[in-house]
Amino acid sequence: MAGQRFRELLGAYSWESVILVFNVVAVVVATLLSPLYLNAFQILYSLQQSMGIASILAIGFMMIILVGEIDLSLPALVAVGTVSFARLSVMGLPFGLSLLIVFAITTLAGLLNGYLIVTFSLPSMAVTLGMMGVYRAVALWIGGYEGFGVDAFQPSYIYVGDTLLAGFLPVSFLVLVFLFALAWLLVHKTVYGRLLYATGNNRKATFLTGHSIKSIIVSTYGIGGLMAGVGAMVYIGQYQSARADNVASILLFVVACIALGGFSLAGGKGRVIGLILSILLLGTIQNGMGLANIPGPVQTLVIGLILIASIVVPAGIGAVGAAVSRAKNIAEKYSASSK
Amino acid sequence: MRRTRVVVATLLLAVMASLPLFAQKKEKLYYVPKFTGFIFFELAGQGAKKACDELGVDMVTLGTTQNDVEGYVQILQNLVPQKPQIMVTTSSDANAPVPVLKKMKAAGATIVTFDSPVGKGGQDLYVNMAPYRVQAIAELESALYNNPKGGKVIWLAPSPNITLFNKVKEEIDNLVKTVPKYKVFQFVDTLYMADDPDKAYSVTTSAMEAHPDLAGFISSSGMSNPASNKAIQDTGRTGKVYSTGMALPSTMETFLRDGVNKQFALWSPYWFGYMSAWLAINIHRGDLKVQDGKVVDVPNVGKRKMYMTPDEVMYTDLNMMLFFRKGHETWENAIAMPPELIQ
């Protein structure tokens, strides 16, 4: 009975299981590569530092991907957020007020992306590519050429991204856990979440059930924008720098997390747990190779190969499954005809 | 009871036996450039290696494959648990690596930066290529050598927020305003090429279309100059437009030969790396104190002064500026910049 249940679970979560196995392998390899790896504090700190901001953006990205759209401007929005925080801090505003202002700015900017896409039926790739340039320019306008350094920030501004509770627990990690819990509830336990999948899978059918596709899509962009704001809050604490080119090269990495997490760029597919596992996997690999002082080009190569594997392995499993069932069919037919 | 004692004794023996292994461990210098695979940082790495070999230190080179600040900081973060003792590094963002560099310093690391400094508290000493004014003079002199009439020029930089480029440009503006022979230059624009040769090529090509009377480009970027010289050559503007400033000789040889460029300048990356590593190792060993106004005699380089800047970063200068011309295309036969030019 237990075996049956286990097999059902494995069937339903086949991709997540593959990633889980990859994770175990990665931990073993990282432990073998460097004696410094296997240390809970080291792992927690390193994962948070290297993956924290990418994870927050990935949550926003996931919502947008689920409805079958994309937003390339999210990293640029993070930069708008960081320089806005810095500018407001220099102006002497209390952090709480700045938080509201920045979150409002980035959320509205996200909503604007969505609005442009649904109102004019434009391809999201093109719109957000354009908006990426616009938001980078806005960030440059707010932040100036030099940007801001540590002196710009009041201590309250860098608290979230810089503080280790009890000397080991990053505050930003708690923020991340909270966000993932929220995302899980939203995506898997609410009607709204069901509608995201429905929109991603079949817009016409979703529309015919009496739901506004447009407002669903726009709302996901709003969440994306909000996450960019949260990412900016963590960024200023972690790097104590705010410049128009912040997180300039994070986009591909976020897309990698999403793709490896089992999401389809066409929408309607993937789970929060898959995203968490893929982030853990990429973080572990980078951490392990980094501690072993493996040169940059090799690290890039390994990450690239894993991404390719993430496409080939499921395709391979699918092909094998299809071949097996075909063989079964033939065998059944043969045995039926021989009777 | 007896068994416990045997176990304890064995353990103690094992620990003692392994002690010499630790004691014999050589010091390690981590060389972490902005990114790897770029000839300038490779040459600087070779220079650093020479200093390491001379002083009996192992060197480990680490770096991202592209100019990516967060990736660079991540490499530093992965170094923290390894408790690095000596590090020579350079970042394209002055602020982002400071929190993690401070962490390393708190754990006893000696950090020497070169090529571009980080914010205060992030390094023990910054090795500057040359005072910004000297660099500015080297670039303007090279432009005058290309075209004594000066004329309308465009300033090229990788991005708006790199301290080095902004400071050199400030000095250039000062010199053009105050020194009579530089008054022939008129800066009409500043363009950014993101350290990307393709972008530099297209940006300079369109700039030459937009400014038909343009005399030349001036840049501190070794990445952009070969691309802009190629753009000049490809669009048939050899002799009409020049592009000069700083560049790597290996990337400019053909342009010197074909007369596209008559002179450009650069400091020696090899001795840059050498000096940085030599200083880092000696500071770490306690053989050298970092002190405002102190003069250090660096082998192969010469006597150099340490000085504190207003942004509270301790500087010293490599100050080995070289001019490259036809017949003087290599590190070996380049012409040292005449000291009387520096005023």
Side-chain angles (χ1 to χ4, degrees), chain A residues 305-322:
Chain A
L305 286 178
I306 285 167
L307 283 177
I308 292 173
S310 78
I311 300 163
V312 171
V313 169
I317 291 173
V320 170

Side-chain angles (χ1 to χ4, degrees), chain B residues 5-192:
Chain B
R5 243 179 278 160
V6 171
V7 170
V8 169
T10 321
L11 274 177
L12 271 175
L13 268 175
V15 169
M16 277 161 67
S18 60
L19 273 179
L21 288 178
F22 289 105
Q24 274 170 11
K25 230 176 178 178
K26 261 166 116 181
E27 293 159 290
K28 225 184 240 176
L29 180 144
Y30 288 92
Y31 171 61
V32 190
K34 283 174 200 174
F35 55 102
T36 55
F38 179 40
I39 179 83
F40 183 87
F41 293 128
E42 298 297 318
L43 285 169
Q46 287 171 21
K49 183 78 176 56
K50 177 179 163 70
C52 286
D53 289 346
E54 285 176 7
L55 297 168
V57 174
D58 279 333
M59 185 171 118
V60 179
T61 303
L62 296 172
T64 53
T65 42
Q66 52 180 354
N67 199 353
D68 158 18
V69 176
E70 288 84 16
Y72 164 78
V73 175
Q74 198 184 320
I75 286 175
L76 299 184
Q77 275 155 0
N78 277 325
L79 272 177
V80 173
Q82 306 183 47
K83 296 201 171 42
Q85 293 301 298
I86 314 172
M87 188 157 78
V88 169
T89 188
T90 168
S91 161
S92 52
D93 182 328
N95 296 304
V98 174
V100 61
L101 288 175
K102 277 185 179 163
K103 204 170 238 183
M104 285 184 190
K105 280 183 51 127
T110 299
I111 297 168
V112 169
T113 53
F114 74 104
D115 197 52
S116 52
V118 297
K120 70 173 175 207
Q123 68 238 303
D124 291 270
L125 181 66
Y126 166 61
V127 182
N128 194 28
M129 48 291 282
Y132 297 126
R133 192 178 167 83
V134 174
Q135 296 178 54
I137 291 171
E139 293 180 15
L140 289 177
E141 284 296 329
S142 296
L144 279 181
Y145 194 86
N146 273 279
N147 182 351
K149 284 189 228 141
K152 282 191 180 168
V153 284
I154 287 176
W155 173 252
L156 299 176
S159 72
N161 31 25
I162 299 183
T163 321
L164 161 73
F165 285 80
N166 296 335
K167 298 268 187 196
V168 171
K169 182 65 183 5
E170 266 172 42
E171 288 294 344
I172 286 185
D173 290 342
N174 275 336
L175 288 163
V176 169
K177 247 182 263 162
T178 54
V179 179
K181 68 168 164 175
Y182 300 137
K183 283 193 176 149
V184 291
F185 291 105
Q186 185 196 348
F187 280 87
V188 291
D189 207 350
T190 294
L191 299 172
Y192 303 105

Side-chain angles (χ1 to χ4, degrees), chain A residues 43-65:
Chain A
I43 293 175
L44 181 62
Y45 176 74
S46 159
L47 279 180
Q48 178 56 31
Q49 295 285 305
S50 65
M51 308 300 290
I53 294 159
S55 306
I56 293 167
L57 281 186
I59 291 173
F61 211 88
M62 170 184 75
M63 302 285 179
I64 299 167
I65 284 282

Side-chain angles (χ1 to χ4, degrees), chain A residues 7 79 134 214 325:
Chain A
R7 238 173 294 155
V134 171
K214 288 185 178 179
S325 70

